Amino acid sequence: MPRASEKGRVSGTVPERRPTTAKLLAAAIDVFSKKGLAATTREIAEAAGVNEATLFRQFESKDHLIEAVTREIVAEQAEALQRVDLEDFDPRRDLTRLAIAYERAMTRHQAYIRTMLSQPADRRLTEKIVCEVVEPLRAKFISYLAEGQRRKVVRKMNLSASVDAFTAMIFAYVLRSAFYRAGYSRKAYLTACVDIFLEGICRSSASMRECK
């Protein structure tokens, strides 16, 4: 179960960034999106308006920069999880916020994500990013659902697979939206995702009342 602050919120804060760091991260996302992971640190530094030495002072290596970019992309999702108040457990509200944050982040950084899918980093770096960036985020989501089980709202099931199913629905929408516009709104789709997920995870019609 996630640690909670005295107000019951999931602990953890997103660290503040220096202006130069923010410029380098923005430049890295843009350059990697356009040129792939083969883009050089010199190209990224030039796009940020700084010299390459400054980039290495901030991130030490290109691998560290790629890891930092991934953290930047998932930051909004992390913030949404941090806002969860376990003392005011409301699955529909919380899952709606998470769905919005996830869709917004994936849409904003879609070009970079497509690059990562077509030109993945080397296996060692990928495993490091998954272990240090992606898995902690998933673990918080899983812990949230485990709290639902403790409250007898969420039925017994594989929570890890459930988290992946929820995020996959939204990820598929973002990828498809790049070349196909459906006859419904973004809000309608995200609401449907939350509805379908809640129908699947809640224990009974009685517990569903706590999910509405």
Side-chain angles (χ1 to χ4, degrees), residues 107-133:
T107 297
R108 181 180 302 137
H109 301 296
Q110 184 176 159
Y112 177 80
I113 293 167
R114 287 181 178 276
T115 294
M116 291 295 287
L117 290 174
S118 62
Q119 303 175 34
D122 69 78
R123 183 174 179 179
R124 177 190 57 78
L125 177 58
T126 299
E127 290 176 349
K128 184 174 186 292
I129 290 173
V130 169
C131 180
E132 297 182 6
V133 181

Side-chain angles (χ1 to χ4, degrees), residues 26-37 39-40 43-44 47:
I29 292 172
D30 182 58
V31 174
F32 282 142
S33 297
K34 294 175 180 176
K35 299 186 176 183
L37 296 183
T40 66
E43 290 172 321
I44 292 168

Side-chain angles (χ1 to χ4, degrees), residues 5-76:
S5 69
E6 60 184 5
K7 293 184 178 180
R9 296 188 184 279
V10 177
S11 65
T13 57
V14 177
E16 293 184 5
R17 297 192 303 269
R18 288 176 287 183
T20 300
T21 303
K23 286 198 299 184
L24 282 165
L25 286 172
I29 292 172
D30 182 58
V31 174
F32 282 142
S33 297
K34 294 175 180 176
K35 299 186 176 183
L37 296 183
T40 66
T41 51
R42 177 172 295 180
E43 290 172 321
I44 292 168
E46 289 176 354
V50 302
N51 58 51
E52 195 173 13
T54 298
L55 184 152
F56 286 120
R57 279 198 298 271
Q58 295 283 326
F59 298 104
E60 297 184 12
S61 69
K62 183 177 177 180
D63 282 359
H64 286 170
L65 176 60
I66 293 172
E67 182 179 346
V69 165
T70 305
R71 290 185 188 279
E72 176 72 5
I73 289 173
V74 304
E76 192 168 352

Side-chain angles (χ1 to χ4, degrees), residues 188-200:
Y189 184 86
L190 295 181
T191 298
C193 287
V194 172
D195 286 344
I196 292 168
F197 191 68
L198 288 175
E199 288 284 351

Side-chain angles (χ1 to χ4, degrees), residues 68-86:
V69 165
T70 305
R71 290 185 188 279
E72 176 72 5
I73 289 173
V74 304
E76 192 168 352
Q77 301 162 54
E79 289 172 359
L81 279 166
Q82 288 163 10
R83 287 196 296 271
V84 168
D85 188 346
L86 296 180

